[in-house]
Amino acid sequence: MSALTDSPAWQALLAHHREIEPLHMRDLFAQDTMRFEKFSVRSSGLLLDYSKNRITEKTMELLSTLARQCGVIEARDHMFAGDHINSTEDRAVFHVALRNRSERPMKVDGRDVMPDVRAVLNQMRRFTEAVRRGEWQGITGRPIKTVVNIGIGGSDLGVIMALQSLRSYQRDDLSPRFISNVDSSHLVETLRNLDPETTLFIVASKTFTTQETMLNATSARSWLVKRLGSEAVRKHFVAVSTNEEKVADFGIDPDYMFPFWDWVGGRYSTWSAIGLAIALVIGMDKFEEMLEGAHAMDEHFRTAPLENNMPIIMALLGVWYANFFGWSTHAVLPYDQYLTRFPQYLQQLDMESNGKRVDLQGRPVDYSTGPILFGHAGTNAQHSFFQLLHQGQQDCSMDFIGVANNHHPLREHQTILLSNFLAQTKALMLGKTEEEVRAELHAKGMGEAEIDKIAPHKTFPGNKPTNSIVLPLVTPFTVGQLLALYEHKVFVQGILWNINSFDQWGVELGKELACGIVPKLMGDEEIMNEDASTAGLLRYMKRLKKEFI
Ligand code: F6P
């Protein structure tokens, strides 16, 4: 048994789970009309209603005790103090400094990083304003109309998600495109019909060594040079990175390298200059509003008492289902088309952070860590996987994200959208008993034999827990809040599980092996030193490739 599972708080929760397991939420709601008031919390216009969870007041007390026992508050303070909490890489985890909108200094290794942060924000402002005003021009003197972000993982997912979410803030004459996959189709299809004279490439890579990004950047540069000559690179390529040397080697003017720092993790870097494409497309003011939103959530996380702290509550509820109910999946379901990419962004944030198997001391853990996260926008998701959520045999915890207002004045659409959002969480909580189904069918005049046949199929167990997160409108501020909320939730869960949420060694092995496979795919030599499956697949693919060529 690990120290965590053996601890008094964990053991108390195990015993409490046995009391909660048989209870149905419909009874909990019938017994207590104040559940919404008791189990909801607000922060700067954002609401979390967690009353539709399989919890009582005692559950929340016991979970809070677990959080205290695991040192969540101290760990949070260490993060905000710039301590090297990423222990395997000996780095601070300081993305909160990127969106610090207060006058407070933020120190790493005794040095205030805020002057550097502000200098890069100013650099971004100067550049984005010049591009947006048409003062920064391509090599032939034409203004930029398309920004192509070349990056992958944390250098792509947050940017694409934010720009998709904030599409209504985009100007018609400046639009983003993205190249991430090393598959040439992504590059070719993205560049199709693009006018090189009005295209600006941003090579976004923290390390500037990521295989996919560097190959895509090299091919994009060839595409440009073929059309406009090598002189054009300095007017059509900029970089965002921590690696000045590699950026210069690539041929990008160091004046147009936007730096960030090793204390910004890749999946936490949207707030840094990695967000340059966001600032270009929606404007620096709007980008800074996003930072404001994140800062508001940081302040909530930093100062709200544990029992009213939104990220802490969400983290604890996640642990409640993952470790005590034994559920391994978590769904995130935004009811807003602009937030369609949000679940995909969260997959990296959550699964790369907390998909870990050893604790901070390197010992294998004897409990589940990060969940498998999936999701899609409602109402579309209702017509794909919701059937399983309502009547399947697998349970998962769920976050529904609802948005009260829409950017477009088609009120009927918004009413129907919100009614579906509310109906789904209600249906998942209440379910429908067989008696209710039978009574309904009776009322419709159906015969007993037919009712016997159909009633089990129309019965819903209910008691499926959901969080409801409600925003007033999708704006740069609320998108910033939402992202920061989930970042801190993931952080807290990492503390509870005693794992390092800030490294990602799990993605290294595949990268290494791919390098060894490249010559075997390219060469004509007999395949040696491979397992039978990989060797068989290699031979088969090489044969197909030859036939195809
Ligand atoms: O997938 C591994 C990873 O290191 C991510 O953590 C990171 O976001 C991504 O690769 C891209 O890295 P870079 O920004 O250095 O190109």
Side-chain angles (χ1 to χ4, degrees):
M1 239 183 201
S2 64
L4 178 61
T5 52
D6 198 27
S7 68
W10 193 275
Q11 289 296 322
L13 278 160
L14 270 181
H16 177 66
H17 173 253
R18 286 192 283 277
E19 291 164 16
I20 292 290
E21 236 287 308
L23 305 183
H24 198 291
M25 275 191 281
R26 60 160 70 200
D27 300 320
L28 296 176
F29 270 92
Q31 286 153 16
D32 185 357
T33 54
M34 298 301 285
R35 271 183 82 83
F36 177 79
E37 286 72 16
K38 283 182 187 160
F39 301 124
S40 63
V41 53
R42 283 163 219 226
S43 164
S44 306
L46 193 79
L47 168 84
L48 166 67
D49 166 25
Y50 59 103
S51 60
K52 290 194 188 88
N53 274 291
R54 293 174 67 175
I55 53 167
T56 60
E57 282 162 280
K58 186 173 169 198
T59 319
M60 293 317 293
E61 276 165 30
L62 293 174
L63 286 169
S64 298
T65 307
L66 178 73
R68 285 207 177 77
Q69 175 198 278
C70 295
V72 165
I73 299 301
E74 293 79 2
R76 174 196 68 187
D77 294 347
H78 282 306
M79 177 171 75
F80 278 95
D83 294 344
H84 285 215
I85 59 171
N86 176 355
S87 53
T88 56
E89 295 174 330
D90 191 19
R91 286 177 185 165
V93 173
F94 218 30
H95 46 277
V96 288
L98 299 168
R99 62 234 189 174
N100 171 28
R101 313 299 286 171
S102 75
E103 291 305 313
R104 241 192 352 264
M106 303 283 282
K107 292 187 181 172
V108 173
D109 301 326
R111 184 172 168 270
D112 184 12
V113 300
M114 289 315 298
D116 291 347
V117 169
R118 292 194 190 102
V120 175
L121 286 173
N122 287 336
Q123 186 194 7
M124 288 171 70
R125 179 173 286 281
R126 283 194 302 277
F127 179 69
T128 55
E129 288 181 351
V131 171
R132 286 168 65 82
R133 282 200 293 258
E135 291 160 14
W136 171 281
Q137 293 158 347
I139 192 81
T140 57
R142 293 178 59 197
I144 299 300
K145 288 193 161 40
T146 311
V147 174
V148 181
N149 191 78
I150 303 178
I152 196 165
S155 300
D156 168 66
L157 291 165
V159 182
I160 208 168
M161 184 275 298
L163 279 173
Q164 163 80 32
S165 303
L166 302 170
R167 176 96 175 75
S168 59
Y169 295 84
Q170 189 179 312
R171 274 182 0 195
D172 287 341
D173 59 350
L174 188 59
S175 60
R177 294 195 188 185
F178 300 88
I179 304 175
S180 51
N181 199 334
V182 76
D183 182 341
S184 56
S185 309
H186 201 184
L187 179 107
V188 171
E189 292 302 338
T190 306
L191 300 184
R192 191 189 291 280
N193 300 331
L194 263 194
D195 183 348
E197 293 182 47
T198 57
T199 299
L200 176 74
F201 292 95
I202 303 174
V203 186
S205 174
K206 180 175 172 182
T207 54
F208 232 70
T209 57
T210 302
Q211 190 186 43
E212 295 95 324
T213 301
M214 295 331 294
L215 184 55
N216 279 326
T218 304
S219 299
R221 186 179 55 191
S222 304
W223 175 89
L224 183 88
V225 168
K226 196 168 155 202
R227 286 157 179 83
L228 298 178
S230 52
E231 265 302 291
V233 172
R234 68 186 168 84
K235 298 299 281 180
H236 293 266
F237 269 82
V238 297
V240 183
S241 187
T242 56
N243 193 338
E244 210 174 321
E245 205 182 312
K246 293 264 181 222
V247 170
D249 289 350
F250 185 85
I252 292 177
D253 186 341
D255 285 348
Y256 293 100
M257 166 179 159
F258 297 81
F260 63 112
W261 307 274
D262 74 351
W263 42 261
V264 183
R267 53 192 172 276
Y268 300 87
S269 64
T270 312
W271 321 99
S272 72
I274 287 289
L276 186 66
I278 308 174
L280 277 165
V281 172
I282 63 169
M284 195 62 194
D285 289 344
K286 297 283 172 234
F287 180 71
E288 292 200 356
E289 277 173 37
M290 220 178 100
L291 303 184
E292 299 279 354
H295 178 63
M297 183 51 70
D298 292 343
E299 286 304 278
H300 169 81
F301 178 50
R302 198 175 65 83
T303 59
L306 197 146
E307 288 75 10
N308 293 321
N309 198 305
M310 229 184 253
I312 298 181
I313 291 169
M314 283 174 62
L316 288 170
L317 289 168
V319 165
W320 179 229
Y321 296 116
N323 300 107
F324 298 92
F325 285 76
W327 300 348
S328 54
T329 32
H330 181 69
V332 177
L333 308 155
Y335 272 64
D336 191 295
Q337 187 63 19
Y338 284 128
L339 297 177
T340 305
R341 293 285 305 219
F342 192 57
Q344 224 170 319
Y345 157 80
L346 283 183
Q347 283 181 324
Q348 188 201 15
L349 175 66
D350 202 324
M351 293 163 79
E352 195 166 90
S353 297
N354 285 343
K356 305 288 163 66
R357 56 180 293 281
V358 295
D359 68 13
L360 284 172
Q361 290 72 35
R363 301 168 301 208
V365 298
D366 61 351
Y367 43 86
S368 291
T369 55
I372 297 167
L373 191 146
F374 74 104
H376 191 56
T379 58
N380 286 9
Q382 290 173 206
H383 298 271
S384 59
F385 55 78
F386 267 46
Q387 165 62 37
L388 183 147
L389 301 182
H390 285 287
Q391 289 187 313
Q393 283 292 77
Q394 317 285 339
D395 274 306
C396 71
S397 49
M398 291 171 258
D399 294 343
F400 277 68
I401 302 172
V403 184
N405 297 290
N406 193 283
H407 284 278
H408 310 291
L410 297 167
R411 280 184 69 189
E412 199 186 339
H413 287 256
Q414 187 63 7
T415 308
I416 303 287
L417 179 68
L418 287 179
S419 64
N420 272 279
F421 166 82
L422 293 166
Q424 287 298 328
T425 56
K426 185 173 170 179
L428 286 159
M429 185 269 280
L430 284 177
K432 200 176 198 180
T433 63
E434 189 160 340
E435 293 69 54
E436 286 168 337
V437 173
R438 298 185 81 89
E440 208 176 89
L441 296 177
H442 260 298
K444 283 186 182 156
M446 194 181 272
E448 270 316 308
E450 191 62 11
I451 291 178
D452 285 346
K453 202 170 129 195
I454 202 75
H457 298 276
K458 295 190 130 214
T459 300
F460 290 64
N463 214 19
K464 312 271 186 188
T466 58
N467 288 321
S468 294
I469 298 165
V470 181
L471 342 169
L473 179 69
V474 175
T475 64
F477 186 89
T478 56
V479 167
Q481 268 180 307
L482 198 60
L483 264 61
L485 169 64
Y486 277 90
E487 282 179 351
H488 295 319
K489 174 204 157 178
V490 166
F491 167 79
V492 173
Q493 291 192 327
I495 301 304
L496 295 168
W497 289 319
N498 191 32
I499 55 177
N500 185 357
S501 305
F502 301 103
D503 58 14
Q504 57 285 319
W505 303 106
V507 294
E508 292 304 320
L509 179 60
K511 285 190 201 170
E512 269 167 39
L513 294 184
C515 290
I517 290 174
V518 170
K520 295 185 182 177
L521 262 175
M522 287 173 54
D524 284 327
E525 304 82 55
E526 184 46 29
I527 306 297
M528 312 270 275
N529 304 326
E530 285 291 354
D531 64 84
S533 166
T534 309
L537 289 167
L538 263 166
R539 286 190 197 105
Y540 189 67
M541 284 176 172
K542 286 179 75 157
R543 205 168 67 230
L544 287 185
K545 252 178 94 184
K546 279 194 183 137
E547 283 164 12
F548 187 64
I549 292 161

